[in-house]
Amino acid sequence: QGCEINREFPPVATYYNVLEAAAAGHQGFEWWYVPSFDAETWKYVMDGLKAIRPFEDIILDGQVSLTGTGNGCTWRRVTLNDEAIYLVRNYDLLNSGETKNVVFTVDELFTGEVRDGATGEKLADLGPGANKVKLTLGPDHLARLLYVGPNWMKRSKDR
């Protein structure tokens, strides 16, 4: 449920709230006191909604099938058929100001490619023996929503 950011609730935290809700397979989310949201906070809410939009069916019909910790991050996966979304995160980097390069392993049962769900950036091609993804986490990217599967082109039309 919500963001694990350990300081006053900055506007960008709402973006991560949306990603966390999606990666937990939630069918909605709510904030406690929205009258305090300013325009910047609502911008981050909309950015989060835009990031998860192409993956609504995975979020709503999929199964939260994996969570874990390692290599300087934690992650959660939601799977639907031959596709998945992963949320890879490290919220401690907000307070430390550090940047970490992470090598993240995708389960070998997936084929296709790995894309940054928010930007569409291609991070890796998947195949036999090719299931490692390199990404950066830091104060500007505390969490990354990853799409894994063979249908990026079809899904990117929903952006």
Side-chain angles (χ1 to χ4, degrees):
Q1 291 120 296
C3 197
E4 304 160 9
I5 294 179
N6 296 321
R7 69 178 218 189
E8 186 178 346
F9 192 72
V12 70
T14 56
Y15 174 76
Y16 297 117
N17 286 146
V18 172
L19 299 186
E20 286 288 340
H26 291 202
Q27 300 205 4
F29 45 85
E30 143 181 25
W31 287 277
W32 177 247
Y33 190 69
V34 294
S36 67
F37 283 17
D38 60 11
E40 181 183 21
T41 303
W42 284 112
K43 177 209 172 295
Y44 285 116
V45 170
M46 297 310 296
D47 288 348
L49 293 173
K50 181 180 175 188
I52 67 170
R53 165 64 187 99
F55 317 113
E56 282 185 38
D57 62 319
I58 297 173
I59 296 161
L60 296 176
D61 300 330
Q63 186 170 26
V64 178
S65 56
L66 178 75
T67 59
T69 302
N71 197 13
C73 62
T74 58
W75 63 88
R76 183 178 291 142
R77 181 182 81 199
V78 182
T79 304
L80 182 64
N81 302 320
D82 61 347
E83 298 176 286
I85 58 167
Y86 282 80
L87 183 64
V88 181
R89 64 213 192 268
N90 184 335
Y91 295 117
D92 292 334
L93 297 175
L94 177 69
N95 296 324
S96 73
E98 293 178 67
T99 298
K100 290 193 181 229
N101 293 317
V102 174
V103 177
F104 180 73
T105 303
V106 174
D107 288 324
E108 291 192 13
L109 60 104
F110 293 105
T111 60
E113 59 190 357
V114 179
R115 296 272 186 161
D116 184 301
T119 66
E121 174 190 2
K122 187 174 186 175
L123 301 173
D125 285 311
L126 299 175
N131 63 339
K132 304 276 188 217
V133 180
K134 295 178 184 176
L135 54 102
T136 301
L137 297 175
D140 295 333
H141 290 94
L142 299 173
R144 305 277 297 268
L145 181 70
L146 308 180
Y147 166 78
V148 177
N151 299 317
W152 175 258
M153 293 307 288
K154 181 179 117 186
R155 289 189 177 278
S156 65
K157 292 177 184 174
D158 290 338
R159 298 190 72 72

